[in-house]
Amino acid sequence: MAVVMSGKEVSARMKEMLLAKVSELKGKGINPTLGIVRVGNRDDDLVYERSILKRFHTLGIDVDVHELPEDISQDDFDSQFMLVNDDPYIHGILLFRPLPEGLSDNYAILHMNPKKDIDGMSPVNAARIFAGENEGFAPCTPSAVMAMLAQYGYDVAGHNVVIVGRSMVVGRPLAMLMLKANATVTVCHSRTQNIQEICKRADIVIAAAGQAKMLTADYVTRKSVVVDVGIDTDSEGNLCGDVDFEKVEPIVRAVSPVPGGVGAVTTSILAENLLKAAKMLG
Ligand code: NDP
């Protein structure tokens, strides 16, 4: 039987540390505040927003939601974003992406204060993560993968890690975090050949391809530790991950479920990053 790596448990273990940091900041007269910028009302944005509001409320962190109309002009979006960016009461910004069609996030990403970029979107933070620096912010999801493995005691140093997916939000920054943690990293993508064999040779497999249940029993062995980043829907319309959990779980050493896996850790990482930003900004 595999160890099922629960995001809820990881989050629960992080709670005490987060509460202590909030209390320390408040003791110094700093009220940590997150600014969310949301354009329109996409379902997945609203689900993520609700989970942030709930989590941050239990931690005593304020959240300012800036909801902008879906038909906002590019100029108005850019200037509204900069108002949030320049607001001294806001310590960190989360911009829900992708933006509606026709709207670009280029200006926002290039001009945002890197110290408030707690989801690692700006080129400044990307460069810092690429260089393996301690300063700066990595996107929350790859950091959540690292936190989950660490909390369950799976040291990546010296081990073979295969990441399936090379996006700027998950696969690429995760590869950099893994390298920094001394893993030997292979990144697979839609053009990779023999992907099943490559995954089978890995100690740790991270599935971040956005393909429902693609990682079947043919990709794993008894020694595999599998982290599922995917948030997909199966052929019956049910929420699932990139891993075929029912088939993989009886074989592997450990696996994270969807829902209740990486996604549940992401909001805690967002809170951790916000508190780091609030401390830096004062
Ligand atoms: P993207 O669609 O941006 O990237 C998917 C990546 O997977 C690409 O690099 C693509 O390759 C690769 N890929 C696609 N199909 C295959 C395949 N059959 N075999 C191998 N590689 C493949 O997705 P994201 O990175 O944004 O998201 C990935 C998943 O993670 C999604 O399910 C998303 O919903 C989820 N997600 C979860 C989060 C969380 O907090 N848990 C947060 C963000 C995302 P190529 O580059 O060649 O096209």
Side-chain angles (χ1 to χ4, degrees), residues 119 138-147 168-175 177 262:
D119 199 20
C140 293
T141 301
S143 303
V145 172
M146 300 304 289
M168 282 298 286
V169 208
V170 190
R172 284 172 204 243
L174 181 56
L177 296 181
V262 173

Side-chain angles (χ1 to χ4, degrees), residues 42-248:
R42 266 180 40 181
D43 281 348
D44 50 349
D45 288 348
L46 292 172
V47 169
Y48 189 24
E49 185 177 298
R50 275 196 292 273
S51 74
I52 292 169
L53 288 170
K54 194 169 149 203
R55 180 77 179 149
F56 279 39
H57 179 71
T58 65
L59 295 170
I61 303 175
D62 282 351
V63 182
D64 270 2
V65 179
H66 300 261
E67 182 184 340
L68 304 173
E70 198 163 351
D71 59 356
I72 193 168
S73 70
Q74 185 69 55
D75 283 352
D76 285 351
F77 168 73
D78 293 343
S79 53
Q80 288 293 324
F81 183 87
M82 291 315 286
L83 282 180
V84 181
N85 188 54
D86 297 337
D87 183 337
Y89 293 102
I90 287 179
H91 301 101
I93 302 172
L94 182 65
L95 169 65
F96 286 134
R97 297 187 297 167
L99 295 174
E101 236 182 278
L103 212 55
S104 162
D105 53 18
N106 279 351
Y107 184 90
I109 288 174
L110 283 176
H111 290 86
M112 82 187 294
N113 181 347
K115 288 183 178 159
K116 293 188 178 186
D117 175 26
I118 58 169
D119 199 20
M121 300 188 303
S122 76
V124 174
N125 281 315
R128 284 176 177 154
I129 298 310
F130 196 88
E133 288 176 14
N134 288 326
E135 307 308 312
F137 296 105
C140 293
T141 301
S143 303
V145 172
M146 300 304 289
M148 175 165 264
L149 288 168
Q151 286 282 347
Y152 275 89
Y154 298 115
D155 187 7
V156 303
H159 289 105
N160 289 319
V161 174
V162 168
I163 301 168
V164 185
R166 58 175 166 182
S167 75
M168 282 298 286
V169 208
V170 190
R172 284 172 204 243
L174 181 56
M176 293 304 129
L177 296 181
M178 287 287 183
L179 278 179
K180 182 161 189 274
N182 298 316
T184 302
V185 186
T186 305
V187 180
C188 299
H189 44 80
S190 64
R191 306 285 290 274
T192 302
Q193 294 180 5
N194 300 326
I195 191 163
Q196 298 178 355
E197 287 311 310
I198 294 170
C199 288
K200 269 186 166 172
R201 284 201 296 269
D203 302 301
I204 297 170
V205 180
I206 316 292
Q211 303 292 320
K213 299 186 180 179
M214 84 165 250
L215 213 112
T216 58
D218 299 333
Y219 288 67
V220 295
T221 68
R222 236 171 0 98
K223 67 176 183 119
S224 312
V225 172
V226 182
V227 180
D228 191 353
V229 178
I231 302 176
D232 314 309
T233 39
D234 64 17
S235 50
E236 278 135 41
N238 299 314
L239 176 65
C240 70
D242 285 0
V243 175
D244 189 340
F245 189 86
E246 308 301 326
K247 302 270 167 51
V248 164

